[in-house]
Amino acid sequence: MSPPIGTAPRDRLRIAIQKSGRLAEPARSLLAACGLSWRESRDKLFCYGESLPVDLLLVRDDDIPGLIADGVCDLGIVGRNELDEQAGERIRNGLPPAYRALRGLGFGQCRLMLAVPDEWEWTGPAQLQGTRIATSYPAILANWLQAEGVDAQVVELSGSVEIAPRLGTADLICDLVSSGATLAANHLKPVHNLLDSEAVLAGPAGAFDDVRAGLAQMLLRRVDGVLQLKDRKLLMFNAEREALPALERLLQDAGPLVQLPGANGALSLQTMCEGAVSWQQLEELERAGARGLMVLAVERSLA
Ligand code: PRT
Ligand code: ZN
């Protein structure tokens, strides 16, 4: 059975993630890669942490900032767009900031963009004076308009923003864009970027003052480890000492070359490479004297 919402126990950490949608699966995968495992409640809204005292609450992404603000959840994985929007709304209502982005997570990338009908010739923000702009991000848009000194009407819509110009309810829109296919299908073109967004790990504005502080710190360290390792490869090989200068030249973009004594006076060498190591690179290293080349994926590391 799910524990009652609103009574977060202080000896366990509770993380809100999207139940279903774009961020749901990558958020779970990231937390699983951090060594967390769970037992799901029957209603599939709560996952009890088995490997660590870290539980998941599965919710709508829009609810995540509020759950952190109210202390129902300690951390959350949510789009920066949603976090900034709700933070902007709080500021407009005279409320103090209640959460902050702790880490960018490298998935769920998109941009919050102004998009105008194809036939418009975009000349810049001043052109927006007196227009009606449809958006689901009224706070971010209103802040931007204010900063630009533009007086335009913000038309708040909760969905299907891209059809507003065709329906005549707005002149242009401000919406999330990733591939741009939705805009193109609605005869709109992106003209100005208001925000580069991605999924973030969000937490409260203040620090925890109990067991959760240590748990959150451990989780952040593991998240950093997972994000760092994403594209890292360990390259290992043997070589004679004389071949070292040529090999070092070929590996100048990699990390430090660690040298250990190998068999028969040769050296056993290893280095960390960012990104893929191609067959061509391996063949060049071999021509320069590397033997027994091996490229290994790095599974875990603590910085
Ligand atoms: O049910 P729930 O409320 O949890 O889900 P939701 O429908 O509100 O959210 P969801 O799953 O659609 O998006 C969750 C988060 O994913 C967003 O808050 C963003 O941080 C991020 N994200 C990344 C996106 C997109 N890419 C994206 N393309 N969110 C929405 N879109 C929309 C876009 O507005 C357009 O209408 O997807 C459509 C397709 O985009 P194009 O440009 O590829 O055509
Ligand atoms: Zn939503």
Side-chain angles (χ1 to χ4, degrees):
M1 212 182 89
S2 309
I5 308 289
T7 56
R10 297 301 174 224
D11 56 349
R12 299 182 70 85
L13 199 68
R14 190 180 280 176
I15 309 178
I17 65 169
Q18 200 184 19
K19 183 173 190 297
S20 58
R22 285 183 169 81
L23 308 183
E25 196 281 322
R28 272 183 176 235
S29 300
L30 172 69
L31 295 174
C34 290
L36 306 190
S37 61
W38 315 273
R39 195 175 61 233
E40 274 188 25
S41 67
R42 208 173 296 159
D43 57 11
K44 297 202 178 346
L45 296 177
F46 187 83
C47 298
Y48 183 83
E50 290 194 312
S51 53
L52 283 170
V54 179
D55 306 322
L56 302 186
L57 198 64
L58 310 184
V59 295
R60 289 198 58 188
D61 67 339
D62 321 51
D63 294 334
I64 294 175
L67 289 168
I68 298 172
D70 295 343
V72 176
C73 288
D74 305 309
L75 301 172
I77 293 181
V78 62
R80 191 182 292 281
N81 48 295
E82 200 56 56
L83 201 67
D84 283 10
E85 173 62 22
Q86 295 197 29
E89 206 176 291
R90 286 180 69 89
I91 292 168
R92 286 184 164 262
N93 291 326
L95 295 167
Y99 31 72
R100 62 198 165 111
L102 302 171
R103 293 290 187 281
L105 300 177
F107 59 84
Q109 285 99 342
C110 56
R111 288 174 296 165
L112 182 64
M113 298 202 74
L114 290 175
V116 301
D118 283 340
E119 58 278 12
W120 275 38
E121 203 173 311
W122 175 247
T123 54
Q127 196 179 0
L128 302 177
Q129 188 70 25
T131 57
R132 295 163 306 155
I133 312 175
T135 190
S136 307
Y137 296 88
I140 297 178
L141 176 59
N143 280 342
W144 180 82
L145 289 169
Q146 198 175 351
E148 293 290 330
V150 172
D151 191 10
Q153 188 190 334
V154 176
V155 180
E156 186 176 346
L157 296 179
S158 57
S160 305
V161 170
E162 61 282 350
I163 60 169
R166 264 192 298 158
L167 296 178
T169 47
D171 304 302
L172 69 148
I173 69 166
C174 171
D175 199 9
L176 295 178
V177 182
S178 48
S179 70
T182 304
L183 291 184
N186 286 282
H187 309 289
L188 298 168
K189 59 181 179 188
V191 290
H192 191 91
N193 185 9
L194 269 62
L195 175 74
D196 280 311
S197 185
E198 63 175 334
V200 297
L201 180 67
F208 300 113
D209 55 4
D210 49 34
V211 171
R212 291 172 301 166
L215 286 170
Q217 204 181 4
M218 180 175 66
L219 185 70
L220 278 175
R221 249 189 115 204
R222 291 189 183 189
V223 166
D224 288 341
V226 171
L227 295 179
Q228 261 173 25
L229 287 186
K230 240 180 172 180
D231 299 317
R232 280 197 167 177
K233 300 280 178 287
L234 180 67
L235 175 66
M236 297 177 77
F237 56 95
N238 302 313
E240 299 298 332
R241 196 170 290 276
E242 306 78 70
L244 211 51
L247 291 167
E248 277 175 332
R249 262 195 307 280
L250 288 171
L251 290 168
Q252 57 193 358
D253 292 336
L257 189 59
V258 178
Q259 306 175 24
L260 301 164
N264 304 324
L267 291 172
S268 170
L269 299 139
Q270 59 188 55
T271 186
M272 200 66 87
C273 301
E274 299 290 337
V277 182
S278 68
W279 286 109
Q280 195 186 340
Q281 282 171 302
L282 290 184
E283 285 154 4
E284 279 173 14
L285 288 165
E286 197 172 47
R287 278 196 291 277
R291 297 288 172 263
L293 282 151
M294 249 192 303
V295 182
L296 306 171
V298 184
E299 202 170 301
R300 272 182 205 119
S301 104
L302 280 179

